[in-house]
Amino acid sequence: MVKMEIDNQDLLEMFRLMLLTRRFEEKTQELLPSGKLQDFCHTCIGQEHITVGACYNLKETDLIMPSLRGRGAYIARGVPIKTLLAVMYGKQLGSTMPKESVHHLGLPEYGILVGTGIIGSDIAKATGAALAAKLRGTTQVVLDFFGDGASNRGDFHESLNLAAIWNLPVVYICENNHTAMSTSITESTAVEDIADRAGGYGIPGVVISRNDIIAVHTAVQDAVYRARDGEGPTLIECKTYRWSVHAGLPSLESRSKEDIEFWKRKLGYPIMDLKKELMMRGILTKQEVSEIEAKIRHDLEEAVEFAKKSPFPVVEEALKHVYA
Amino acid sequence: MVRKIGFRSAIIEAIREEMLRDTRVFMIGEDIEYFYPALKEDFSERILNTPISESAMVGVGVGATLNGMRPIVEIMFSSLLPLCMDHLVNSARMICYQYGGEVTCPMVVRASIGATGRGLGLHHSQSPESFILNAPGLKIVMPSTPYDAKGLLKSAIRDNNPVVFLEHKLLREKESSIPEEEFIIPLGKADVKRVGEDVTIVAMAQMLHKSLEAANKLHKEGISCEVIDLRTLLPLDENTIIESVKKTSRLITVQESPKAYGFGAEIAAIVAEKALGYLDAPVMRVANPGTPIPCTVLLEQAVIPSVEDIIRVTKEVV
């Protein structure tokens, strides 16, 4: 199989997707105090490059299992932002929409597997989807996203072991943002790199040490290439940092402003750094950035209107589909 | 043609037939390649050994359904089911609900239940159906005979809902006459295993056999028992129970699991709601008194309902 090389167009598109994700997350945080959202805001601000970079250029038949902070994955897979916002408003867009949180939404038409609110459990489900891919003889690869907190769940360890012994086409992507709600990784995890745990299961572990979308994309593409070629799973750890408060609730912020600034400087600014790089290479101008921003602003306003106007589900919906 | 086969053969026949019928069916479990060598030989990678990882096994099963497969997950002992509860309760049973009916979770989780009188101990002898009964979206099947086991397991594998299929260990000593030709038994339909007039006894699995034995003995004393085998706990065949109670006016439930909050309590509540006026006596529950299952056989048998317990309670209400 030939690996896809990224060109300037790809980089511009990744920039746009990250920016769209960022602005979407900012918008939901802005809307949260209005009380109109029927969901929390587990945003991926500062981590957009991981899901966008990983999902970019996947095949349509590939599957992804987003983490709690997976908005970029939904956006990179082509899910319209108006759909995501309408779900957050508790509106009915189709049979799936009203019952599951936007954070765990399963959307078969976009190859997105349904999650749960149980941190880490979805690692086993992603592994099962990869087993199905193998048994069915497809060339599908499954990308499984989760945070540093999830890597201490038993399902992480059981699943990586199963994927290793069965040689499954799955790429485990740990978004290590160094904090599980208020618990620092230094309190929860004794190893320096979660990727080191891959060695315990006989699979490759890779560390991406900066908020660098090109590095993430390249590492994931390498792992996807391996998986598709029948060489089994990979664990990729992306060092990153959550820039915003947990669940959109300032009362849950345990970290100091200085700490957050320290980590931003240390790991880099995923969107700004790419923007600088693209401008330096002469493939993006200030004018074009303004145009992209304006388009996103317009689309978001339209999405908010769409979400507000969409109908609520009928209450009878609550009783439906308990059984097939 | 009719053949006599045992419980284990019935289970294997059901799995084999369904795997031949549908290539999406596969099975994972601990030591299953050793326990089912013929299935392994015929179906190769569709029969897969797992390490001791019960939680992930069921999670993997759920994930496989999301990508078009129909897994059977064998959990050796039902005392291990608590390790799988997260995936059963938080994932499997909610898939259909989460997706608004667009996607379902066609998975069967098989597990052995029950005390054997051989001292298997606290962690290999439980009957855990009550743990999982309060999770709508799951189906729960507990067969009593090889015939039922085969027909019900085939239905469970074809069902688009997650089904927990509980197999009592002592049923491995039972035989049934089974037809050569294919048959299935629908989930959610009870079976009246003995017709009677004076009292309705509702039971399942090994307790069904004890109830039938009690009914035999009581018959000699002039008491006519109707014995209903629920076969499926979820969904529950309320109708068969209520129709029987309308006829007999007396109800006894028998279960190996602890009495409080067990399925006997639910059946008593349903009858109170829908057929109270027909009852001539209190509904009685014969059950484990509310203890773990001790290892020592003498103590084990003291907390498992006996034929004598069923006879004694029946005489109290007739």
Side-chain angles (χ1 to χ4, degrees), chain A residues 5 8 22 51 92 99 117 132 158 165 209 217 235 237 247:
Chain A
E5 297 296 333
N8 289 346
R22 169 77 54 91
T51 43
Q92 167 129 26
K99 289 177 185 167
E158 294 186 7
I165 58 171
S209 55
H217 179 74
L235 171 62
E237 175 189 6

Side-chain angles (χ1 to χ4, degrees), chain A residues 258-315:
Chain A
E258 292 73 32
D259 268 358
I260 298 172
E261 287 309 314
F262 168 83
W263 282 101
K264 282 183 178 179
R265 281 195 303 276
K266 181 175 160 76
L267 298 176
Y269 302 77
I271 299 176
M272 202 169 70
D273 289 352
L274 181 64
K275 184 170 80 177
K276 278 186 189 161
E277 168 82 19
L278 294 178
M279 288 171 96
M280 206 176 67
R281 289 200 213 170
I283 53 180
L284 183 68
T285 63
K286 265 191 171 166
Q287 173 66 22
E288 284 165 330
V289 173
S290 300
E291 284 165 17
I292 295 169
E293 290 271 23
K295 172 82 168 74
I296 289 172
R297 252 194 323 273
H298 171 264
D299 290 351
L300 270 170
E301 279 162 25
E302 213 173 62
V304 171
E305 283 315 302
F306 173 83
K308 284 181 177 167
K309 281 186 192 151
S310 295
F312 280 110
V314 292
V315 289

Side-chain angles (χ1 to χ4, degrees), chain A residues 44 51 56 61 81 87 179 184 195 198 210 298:
Chain A
C44 64
T51 43
Y56 192 80
T61 48
I81 52 171
V87 173
T179 322
S184 157
R210 282 182 60 77
H298 171 264

Side-chain angles (χ1 to χ4, degrees), chain B:
Chain B
M1 258 274 287
V2 171
R3 304 163 289 134
K4 281 229 163 204
I5 66 168
F7 193 87
R8 213 179 129 67
S9 303
I11 293 287
I12 293 171
E13 279 190 13
I15 293 169
R16 173 182 299 284
E17 287 174 17
E18 293 309 303
M19 289 185 75
L20 286 169
R21 180 178 176 269
D22 187 342
T23 55
R24 296 171 300 176
V25 178
F26 72 103
M27 182 159 75
I28 61 173
E30 292 156 8
D31 301 297
I32 64 171
E33 295 181 19
Y34 173 74
F35 284 123
Y36 308 99
L39 290 178
K40 179 66 189 173
E41 194 175 325
D42 292 348
F43 297 105
S44 177
E45 64 175 359
R46 287 165 65 199
I47 300 287
L48 271 183
N49 266 356
T50 62
I52 297 174
S53 301
E54 286 85 5
S55 173
M57 283 155 64
V58 176
V60 159
V62 177
T65 70
L66 297 178
N67 195 12
M69 295 297 280
R70 302 181 75 89
I72 304 168
V73 182
E74 181 176 293
I75 300 295
M76 198 180 282
F77 292 103
S78 60
S79 291
L80 304 165
L81 280 178
L83 293 166
C84 317
M85 287 293 266
D86 170 36
H87 292 290
L88 285 173
V89 171
N90 291 317
S91 281
R93 66 131 175 166
M94 291 182 185
I95 297 290
C96 181
Y97 198 72
Q98 286 174 306
Y99 279 106
E102 273 183 24
V103 175
T104 60
C105 183
M107 172 178 68
V108 178
V109 176
R110 296 176 45 234
S112 74
I113 58 169
T116 60
R118 289 172 206 142
L120 286 182
L122 287 90
H123 304 111
H124 288 6
S125 305
Q126 300 185 74
S127 294
E129 71 277 1
S130 302
F131 300 174
I132 35 186
L133 274 167
N134 215 286
L138 291 178
K139 292 189 174 182
I140 302 177
V141 180
M142 273 169 70
S144 306
T145 68
Y147 177 88
D148 286 349
K150 181 173 178 185
L152 290 166
L153 183 54
K154 285 169 68 75
S155 281
I157 294 168
R158 292 182 197 186
D159 202 282
N160 282 330
N161 298 287
V163 181
V164 179
F165 197 89
L166 301 173
E167 304 165 16
H168 200 290
K169 298 176 204 80
L170 287 180
L171 298 178
R172 291 181 190 160
E173 296 164 2
K174 306 284 177 202
E175 283 198 326
S176 284
S177 297
I178 286 192
E180 281 291 351
E181 57 274 16
E182 183 173 50
F183 68 97
I184 61 166
I185 297 172
L187 305 187
K189 282 205 75 95
D191 184 35
V192 179
K193 286 280 196 297
R194 181 186 175 109
V195 178
E197 302 295 329
D198 301 328
V199 58
T200 300
I201 300 177
V202 175
M204 308 181 78
Q206 181 62 7
M207 289 300 123
L208 185 270
H209 295 281
K210 289 193 175 178
S211 300
L212 286 172
E213 199 181 326
N216 258 332
K217 291 185 172 166
L218 287 162
H219 177 71
K220 288 170 192 154
E221 300 182 39
I223 298 171
S224 167
C225 303
E226 178 142 299
V227 182
I228 296 176
D229 180 1
L230 290 175
R231 300 200 289 203
T232 306
L233 269 173
L234 262 183
L236 183 66
D237 182 356
E238 296 181 9
N239 222 22
T240 299
I241 300 167
I242 287 169
E243 287 310 307
S244 178
V245 168
K246 284 180 178 175
K247 181 174 71 171
T248 64
S249 304
R250 289 172 178 83
L251 175 63
I252 294 168
T253 64
V254 188
Q255 67 192 51
E256 197 170 313
S257 49
K259 185 175 189 173
Y261 304 100
F263 71 82
E266 177 63 17
I267 290 169
I270 288 168
V271 169
E273 281 174 353
K274 299 186 176 173
L276 187 64
Y278 290 91
L279 286 174
D280 285 344
V283 177
M284 300 297 280
R285 291 173 288 163
V286 182
N288 165 284
T291 68
I293 310 297
C295 188
T296 305
V297 177
L298 181 74
L299 298 182
E300 178 198 283
Q301 290 305 302
V303 298
I304 300 295
S306 64
V307 175
E308 290 67 35
D309 292 331
I310 301 167
I311 291 172
R312 178 176 46 75
V313 171
T314 307
K315 285 182 175 171
E316 283 175 26
V317 296
V318 173

